Amino acid sequence: MKKLAMIGCGGIGGYHLEHFVNFKDIELVGFCDLIAERAENFVRIAGKGKSFTDFRKMYDETKPDMVLIGIPPYAHGEIEFETINRGIHLFVEKPVSLNLSTAKEIRDKIAEKKIISAVGFQCRYDNINEAAKDFISKNEIVTMQGSRVGGVPEVDWWRKKDLSGGQLVEQTVHQMDMLRYLLGDVDTVYSIPTRGFIKDSEWVGYDTDDVSTTIFKFKSGIVGTMMTGCYSLNGASWDSKITIGTRGSRLDYILCGKTVIYGVDEKDIAAEIAGVVKGDGMQRRNENEVGITVNSNVDFGTLCDRTFIDAVISGDPSKIRSPYSDALKSVAFVLACNESMKTGQPVKVEV
């Protein structure tokens, strides 16, 4: 039985642990966190394994076959290099690093040592992507626009841009990754940020952008925009989604929620419902517009974790949808946006 360890016993670690405890073909052997109580709590939840505050000591004692690395964005580097050098397969939570050169070196070491890798872009495993890909394959896409708006997460490091990367890098990277997954790689970005809406009296030590808007051009020639912010006080402030448009139809894509396709003849919609898209129904926005809706109905987080586990057990990583080498391209995308915010100039996305 393959052995799994975890580094980082915070919120995202707990998300993965919920899945791991249900997998009966792996052994949970160790949990490591700088805060001993958090690692000890994971041991209690798992009902097995041992807690550590030193990941090297955990590796020495437990000798895991694979590890889940769920640490803050600024902390990546040393852990990954040690893990790779020991031949341990790794699942790394996004955004993998705030330093592109470090991430490139990790990618190259993974390839050199033939390590199986995965990154936590679990939205790639959602069933709604089948409908989105079907729509995109059958239509000439002209443009897209997207948005993600939320509040300020309640962790200290997130509120400092040099530690988290800001909203675009730490959270909206999920949307940016899905844009790459659906529409291909991006060539150039130009990002503009603004601050001043969130006061220090609300979040002491807050030092990141309240909102930013990015214009980008895909290598295919498609142009698009992404607006993102952490200024929201409630769900009424903004409707977050991605819209992908053709000359006569569009796809509304709500991350890990649903897709709705508009501008297709009702007879074609009926055919789609019976065919590959397997829609959940039609909804009418006005008397002339009918949309086909496909709702998310899979546990994509469990699928993401299970795919990594299966890859390590079988030695075949071909079904992993976001290996480190590909995830790095999404991280390069958002880090280029940050560079554009800093310089005020367009930036080429290079990996």
Side-chain angles (χ1 to χ4, degrees):
M1 184 177 290
K2 298 292 186 180
K3 296 188 290 186
L4 184 147
M6 298 183 67
I7 301 175
C9 300
I12 194 62
Y15 172 78
H16 291 284
L17 183 59
E18 288 180 3
H19 307 151
F20 294 151
V21 295
N22 293 318
F23 300 157
K24 306 307 180 184
D25 54 352
I26 60 171
E27 182 182 0
L28 296 169
V29 294
F31 305 95
C32 181
D33 197 284
L34 293 176
I35 301 173
E37 292 79 6
R38 299 207 304 190
E40 291 163 3
N41 183 51
F42 271 38
V43 172
R44 285 192 291 270
I45 293 171
K48 61 186 70 174
K50 185 177 178 181
S51 65
F52 297 85
T53 55
D54 183 326
F55 77 95
R56 288 186 176 86
K57 184 177 180 181
M58 178 177 72
Y59 285 170
D60 289 341
E61 290 192 24
T62 65
K63 295 179 170 49
D65 300 290
M66 52 188 144
V67 64
L68 186 289
I69 302 173
I71 57 179
Y74 65 85
H76 291 280
E78 180 182 4
I79 293 173
E80 284 89 341
F81 289 125
E82 181 70 20
T83 302
I84 294 164
N85 286 336
R86 290 178 181 244
I88 301 169
H89 304 296
L90 73 172
F91 185 120
V92 184
E93 258 305 332
K94 58 79 197 166
V96 308
S97 180
L98 299 182
N99 186 300
L100 191 58
S101 62
T102 297
K104 288 179 180 178
E105 190 175 350
I106 292 170
R107 173 200 61 192
D108 294 343
K109 287 290 185 182
I110 287 172
E112 176 188 336
K113 298 290 187 177
K114 295 181 172 55
I115 298 295
I116 293 173
S117 69
V119 172
F121 287 125
Q122 68 270 10
C123 303
R124 289 189 173 208
Y125 294 82
D126 198 344
N127 64 284
I128 66 173
N129 298 323
E130 297 173 20
K133 282 181 171 288
D134 184 70
F135 174 81
I136 291 165
S137 70
K138 293 177 179 177
N139 294 276
E140 182 180 30
I141 307 302
V142 177
T143 190
M144 61 71 46
Q145 63 177 15
S147 60
R148 173 168 179 160
V149 174
V152 178
E154 295 184 8
V155 287
D156 292 341
W157 57 261
W158 196 96
R159 302 195 287 273
K160 296 185 181 298
K161 190 172 182 178
D162 62 341
L163 299 182
S164 68
Q167 172 81 1
L168 187 61
V169 169
E170 211 286 317
Q171 292 188 323
T172 312
V173 67
H174 280 296
Q175 276 83 354
M176 304 299 250
D177 178 70
M178 287 310 305
L179 288 177
R180 283 192 53 251
Y181 188 60
L182 296 173
L183 297 173
D185 287 331
V186 173
D187 180 78
T188 307
V189 304
Y190 176 56
S191 299
I192 302 174
T194 191
R195 301 185 182 190
F197 297 99
I198 299 174
K199 312 300 182 186
D200 191 69
S201 58
E202 295 179 69
W203 294 100
V204 176
Y206 177 87
D207 177 31
T208 190
D209 310 302
D210 300 345
V211 62
S212 67
T213 295
T214 300
I215 303 169
F216 39 84
K217 184 175 184 178
F218 291 85
K219 290 183 177 180
S220 64
I222 299 168
V223 293
T225 63
M226 175 63 72
M227 184 277 283
T228 188
C230 56
Y231 61 83
S232 177
L233 295 177
N234 57 58
S237 67
W238 196 264
D239 181 20
S240 299
K241 65 181 177 181
I242 294 169
T243 297
I244 298 171
T246 76
R247 296 184 68 185
S249 60
R250 74 181 185 279
L251 168 75
D252 281 354
Y253 183 95
I254 299 175
L255 189 76
C256 299
K258 65 180 179 179
T259 61
V260 188
I261 299 172
Y262 296 103
V264 182
D265 183 87
E266 287 193 40
K267 290 180 293 185
D268 292 334
I269 290 175
E272 292 290 347
I273 289 176
V276 65
V277 174
K278 295 184 175 64
D280 297 303
M282 289 181 279
Q283 62 185 57
R284 187 182 297 274
R285 286 168 59 95
N286 57 53
E287 63 180 4
N288 298 316
E289 188 173 54
V290 176
I292 175 173
T293 300
V294 178
N295 290 309
S296 174
N297 59 21
V298 299
D299 185 348
F300 43 81
T302 294
L303 286 173
C304 181
D305 286 346
R306 186 66 241 183
T307 302
F308 171 67
I309 299 294
D310 287 342
V312 174
I313 292 174
S314 68
D316 177 11
S318 61
K319 294 183 180 179
I320 294 175
R321 297 185 184 181
S322 187
Y324 195 99
S325 58
D326 185 81
L328 178 57
K329 296 178 182 179
S330 294
V331 175
F333 181 9
V334 294
L335 290 180
C337 296
N338 270 6
E339 181 65 18
S340 180
M341 292 183 210
K342 181 179 178 180
T343 64
Q345 300 296 317
V347 174
K348 293 275 287 185
V349 179
E350 298 178 337
V351 181

